[in-house]
Amino acid sequence: MARCRCSGRALCLCLLPFLMMSHLLVYIMVTIFVAMSYSPEPQLPLHFIAPGASANSGALASHPLGPFWSLQLVKGSLWNRLQHLQDREHNPILRGNSTKGPTTDVTYMNEDGSSSLCTPDHSWASQLSDYNTMPEQMQDFVLSMHCRNYTLLMDQPDLCTGQDSETEAPLLLMAIKSQVGHFEERQAIRETWGKSGWIKGEEREQMWQVRTVFLLGRQDIMTGPHPDLGALLQMENNLSKDVLQWDFKDTFFNLTLKDILFWNWFSVRCPHAHFIFKGDDDVFVRPGALIDYLHEHLFSLQETKNKFKEKEDVLVGDVIANAYPRRHTATKYYIPESFYDGVYPTYAGGGGVVYSGSLARRLRVVSQWVRMFPIDDVYLGMCIQRLGVSPTHHSGFLTFDLPEADRDKPCAYRKVLLVHKRSPKEMLTLWGKLKSSLQGC
Ligand SMILES: *[C@@H]1O[C@H](CO)[C@@H](O)[C@H](O)[C@H]1NC(C)=O
Ligand SMILES: *[C@@H]1O[C@H](CO)[C@@H](O)[C@H](O)[C@H]1NC(C)=O
Ligand SMILES: *[C@@H]1O[C@H](CO)[C@@H](O)[C@H](O)[C@H]1NC(C)=O
Ligand SMILES: *[C@@H]1O[C@H](CO)[C@@H](O)[C@H](O)[C@H]1NC(C)=O
């Protein structure tokens, strides 16, 4: 061990290391202090779009921000509180897995043609201090969010029959959200990307069964100042037999009902379809490219039976993570803090997503345990989060469209599966262009 002689220069030399150490210590402490006191508020992106992932392994890990089955009672926002109670009731750890799923049924009109209405429930409104200043659509939602068993007014019982054995089941069922008055949109879709029947992919000759169905609510004299288009809708449906209509007011905040009611319908009328495409009637889809994608990435050949089987629990779309509710009262997406608090789960946004039939069946069950939420794609994200499924990002889902300069160039669409948004006229033009000129790209 080195020893110091306590005299003159030697003392200095001995103390030097200690002096240096203490300076270093002070420096470190000051640095830490400065870093702590001046770190700015973390800037969370309002709308983070996940980076494009390689096509076949694009799984995006979900990032739960806290333990999922929280045991503490949540105070505050209405949805969070209601959901918390529901989560506790159906907690698989507390309750085991004995909880039964809902029974499958499709609610029909009563014999006398009437339908029992869900009565508005004012008990939750009275718990919201700012209820009276909320936008009307939010108020309507709070009064009716307990009800989801609306009568099916227009059914398509035979849409998928003839394919009840698994080999003949449709590869793809396209469920398009539309509105009564959108005759032109629906017809343009039928004539272009939404054709039902045998469709082949762009790269292979193999033919696949595709079915299209439109999801509608009510827009008539009972639900507001609407012209009476009922007879026209009847006529359209007599011709095309692809309209589902339920007895609820077709509004933006009621779109979630279309998903929930569609899952019920699907499990009764078309349970063997391998994949669902759910989209809006203002998007353009390239069904051939979509079929190729499903075939390549989401199907696995079952060696023994020499049959195809879809991958289970996949959901593909334009994935948005870490999005927060919009708090500007001017947007139609506005959600008050008193209704929902916190970040949205990772979800696939925009005009269209693809998911497997087996996921649709599980969604029907889990959705019974997830409180209704007014924004449909966020609600879908909430449901898959509870199933432990992460959405897969695909850069071919262009919910923010192509750059303006590319929109008229057919070759720009080579990697596109879905693009938002296109009018009926644009759909027809684009369809014609892509048919003739995509090979040359
Ligand atoms: C959950 O249910 C399955 C099938 O119903 C059963 O085999 C399994 O033992 C159950 N697990 C628990 C933890 O109860
Ligand atoms: C929905 O369910 C509620 C409660 O079970 C019932 O009161 C109401 O009449 C039902 N509505 C429809 C349209 O079936
Ligand atoms: C639609 O078809 C049904 C039964 O085939 C018929 O009773 C009804 O009059 C038709 N409606 C219209 C508007 O064509
Ligand atoms: C949804 O539809 C129901 C039934 O028609 C209606 O009472 C309710 O106000 C609608 N909700 C919204 C948010 O428009």
Side-chain angles (χ1 to χ4, degrees), residues 117-118 120 136-145 147 150 218 223 247-254 257 374:
L117 292 172
C118 273
E136 200 182 335
Q137 63 169 359
M138 196 67 233
Q139 294 181 338
D140 288 346
F141 184 81
V142 171
L143 295 187
S144 61
M145 67 183 280
C147 188
Y150 293 101
R218 273 178 80 165
T223 63
D247 187 12
F248 65 84
K249 201 168 160 180
D250 206 336
T251 59
F252 180 60
F253 270 18
N254 261 348
L257 279 172

Side-chain angles (χ1 to χ4, degrees), residues 187-199:
Q187 191 54 31
I189 290 171
R190 288 183 196 111
E191 289 176 13
T192 58
W193 57 267
K195 242 178 233 142
S196 285
W198 289 100
I199 309 285

